């Protein structure tokens, strides 16, 4: 027997041994893009999701995570879902409004007061669930809602009330409701991707930005805009979405597995963010940030015209429905 023949027989034997030992087939790679830094809560929840997808599909799929905008900023990532460039992303609800404008209404100011109220709104609002059901025809679907928290300000000058905003430029993402809210408070608004914001504040292009505490901490905005003003003006969770083309390629069994992983990652995300805020604020204060809680009344009064503007653009019926859902939740869960 030649050495070549012996080698082939050995390789064949190894292959059969692997087969009978139950070796798993090659994994299919699924690409997950997000804009949070590697140490942030989105990355932590994405890692849970990836681990659970692998576990529940018995290793048939590997979710490969690309953090910090490596593949795309938030709007581009959503476009990539539609085009097949990526399989998953997680972003603020308003980011998806480019493709379904009614989702802008979720960014109306002061809809809910607590995390628990926000969870109830996103999980059980009849209006919002109906809007989510329209997204597959846009090329992606919502699997679950992860947490980011309530949006507040970081600025390079103190912000005690709307009067201070009149001399400031505020970065906003491309969302009408957020822009209207900022303008009613008194800011000049500048639209830009979140990946450009740190440098823009550092260079003086804008005076600040508004995001949940978790994002402020993860992206280190407090280093260049050290005045953190906790207005909590918009509840801003993060729907996890999957490309509809990818979803339709899954077997029913794998759809159930991916959905289960998404739900468990959402529960992890909600618990992590809610219970991390106080610690994150203390860490930012220790690093030199100034944290303040302003009188909220003047901010609420300043943004009141936003609701009427929303009715003009999106229709009174839709606005009244989500306001009604939110009011009922606040009444049923006061203070949560």
């Amino acid at each position: 027997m030649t050495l070549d023949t012996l080698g082939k027989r050995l390789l064949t034997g190894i292959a059969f041994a692997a087969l009978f030992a139950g070796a798993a087939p090659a994994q299919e790679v699924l690409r997950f893009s997000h804009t949070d830094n590697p140490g942030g809560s989105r990355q932590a929840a994405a890692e849970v999701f990836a681990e659970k997808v692998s576990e529940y599909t018995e290793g048939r799929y590997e979710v490969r995570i690309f953090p910090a905008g490596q593949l795309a900023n938030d709007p581009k990532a959503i476009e990539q879902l539609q085009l097949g460039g990526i399989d998953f992303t997680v972003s603020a609800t308003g980011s998806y409004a480019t493709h379904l404008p009614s989702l802008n209404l979720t960014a109306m100011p002061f809809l809910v007061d607590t995390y628990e109220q926000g969870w109830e709104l996103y999980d059980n609002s009849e209006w919002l669930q109906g809007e989510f059901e329209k997204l597959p025809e846009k090329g992606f679907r919502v699997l679950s809602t992860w947490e980011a928290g309530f949006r507040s300000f970081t600025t390079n000058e103190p912000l005690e009330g709307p009067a201070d905003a009149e001399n400031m430029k505020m970065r906003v993402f491309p969302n009408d409701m957020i822009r209207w809210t900022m303008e009613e408070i008194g800011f000049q608004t500048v639209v830009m991707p979140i990946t450009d914001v740190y440098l823009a504040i550092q260079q003086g292009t804008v005076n600040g930005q508004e995001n949940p505490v978790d994002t402020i901490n993860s992206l280190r905005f407090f280093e260049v805009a050290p005045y953190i003003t906790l207005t909590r003006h918009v509840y801003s969770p993060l729907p996890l979405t999957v490309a509809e083309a990818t979803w339709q390629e899954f077997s029913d069994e794998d759809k159930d597995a991916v959905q289960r992983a998404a739900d468990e990652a959402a529960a992890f995300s909600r618990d992590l963010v809610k219970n991390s805020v106080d610690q994150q604020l203390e860490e930012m204060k220790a690093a030199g940030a100034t944290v303040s809680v302003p009188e909220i009344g003047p901010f609420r009064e300043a943004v009141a015209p936003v609701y009427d503007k929303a009715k003009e653009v999106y229709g009174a019926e839709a606005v009244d429905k989500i306001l009604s859902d939110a009011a009922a939740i606040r009444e049923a869960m006061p203070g949560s």
Side-chain angles (χ1 to χ4, degrees):
M1 181 183 301
T2 67
L3 184 60
D4 183 58
T5 302
L6 178 61
K8 289 180 180 178
R9 290 188 178 181
L10 284 171
L11 288 174
T12 301
I14 291 170
F16 273 108
L19 177 63
F20 286 113
Q27 290 180 315
E28 182 173 341
V29 174
L30 301 171
R31 290 152 59 95
F32 187 150
S33 173
H34 68 80
T35 55
D36 197 16
N37 276 344
S41 69
R42 261 176 276 186
Q43 175 67 14
E47 290 171 0
V48 170
F49 177 66
E51 177 185 340
K52 294 301 182 181
V53 167
S54 179
E55 176 184 347
Y56 296 150
T57 64
E58 299 179 339
R60 290 189 295 278
Y61 292 96
E62 174 196 353
V63 176
R64 192 167 296 169
I65 306 164
F66 297 87
Q70 292 178 26
L71 298 184
N73 60 35
D74 288 307
K76 292 296 184 183
I78 296 167
E79 290 179 10
Q80 286 300 309
L81 286 179
Q82 298 171 302
L83 297 172
I86 62 172
D87 302 287
F88 302 101
T89 195
V90 61
S91 186
T93 316
S95 297
Y96 300 100
T98 301
H99 308 282
L100 185 63
S102 57
L103 291 180
N104 273 321
L105 297 179
T106 63
M108 285 192 293
F110 301 110
L111 282 179
V112 296
D113 301 321
T114 68
Y115 286 100
E116 290 80 5
Q117 292 173 5
W119 300 340
E120 181 69 17
L121 179 69
Y122 269 74
D123 292 347
N124 295 311
S125 163
E126 180 182 346
W127 177 84
L128 185 52
Q129 290 303 313
E131 297 309 291
F132 282 167
E133 289 172 3
K134 299 174 184 178
L135 290 175
E137 66 186 38
K138 306 295 183 180
F140 52 90
R141 68 172 57 217
V142 172
L143 293 176
S144 64
T145 303
W146 294 7
E147 191 56 85
F150 289 83
R151 302 181 83 88
S152 289
F153 294 106
T154 45
T155 53
N156 57 11
E157 300 175 17
L159 177 65
E160 296 181 5
D164 294 325
E166 294 178 2
N167 297 317
M168 293 189 192
K169 293 182 180 178
M170 177 61 53
R171 173 267 175 181
V172 296
F173 70 100
N175 178 275
D176 285 344
M177 201 66 60
I178 294 291
R179 180 172 55 81
W180 295 342
T181 298
M182 297 303 101
E183 290 171 352
E184 292 297 340
I185 290 172
F187 294 106
Q188 301 174 55
T189 57
V190 180
V191 176
M192 70 175 64
I194 197 169
T195 46
D196 296 343
V197 173
Y198 187 102
L199 185 61
I201 299 173
Q202 192 174 49
Q203 294 179 339
T205 305
V206 294
N207 295 98
Q209 61 85 52
E210 48 86 51
N211 255 302
V213 167
D214 184 76
T215 304
I216 293 168
N217 182 61
S218 170
L219 298 183
R220 314 292 292 179
F221 290 139
F222 64 91
E223 294 177 345
V224 288
Y227 294 95
I228 302 172
T229 306
L230 299 176
T231 48
R232 293 164 56 92
H233 49 273
V234 171
Y235 178 60
S236 187
L238 306 165
L240 167 68
T241 49
V242 59
E244 184 65 12
T246 300
W247 181 255
Q248 294 303 332
E249 290 177 357
F250 292 146
S251 66
D252 288 344
E253 179 184 7
D254 287 341
K255 286 178 181 176
D256 289 342
V258 171
Q259 184 63 63
R260 182 180 173 192
D263 291 340
E264 292 186 16
F268 171 88
S269 171
R270 287 175 170 180
D271 181 71
L272 175 63
V273 172
K274 179 188 174 184
N275 294 312
S276 297
V277 169
D278 290 344
Q279 179 182 343
Q280 290 173 339
L281 289 172
E282 289 302 318
E283 290 173 354
M284 289 188 282
K285 285 166 66 176
T290 298
V291 178
S292 63
V293 180
E295 184 181 351
I296 298 300
F299 287 96
R300 286 184 181 272
E301 292 171 10
V303 303
V306 171
Y307 304 110
D308 290 333
K309 188 172 291 188
K311 290 179 181 180
E312 292 173 6
V313 175
Y314 299 101
E317 182 178 356
V319 173
D320 287 343
K321 186 66 178 86
I322 191 169
L323 289 177
S324 175
D325 285 355
I329 289 167
R330 292 196 308 273
E331 183 177 353
M333 306 174 67
S336 300

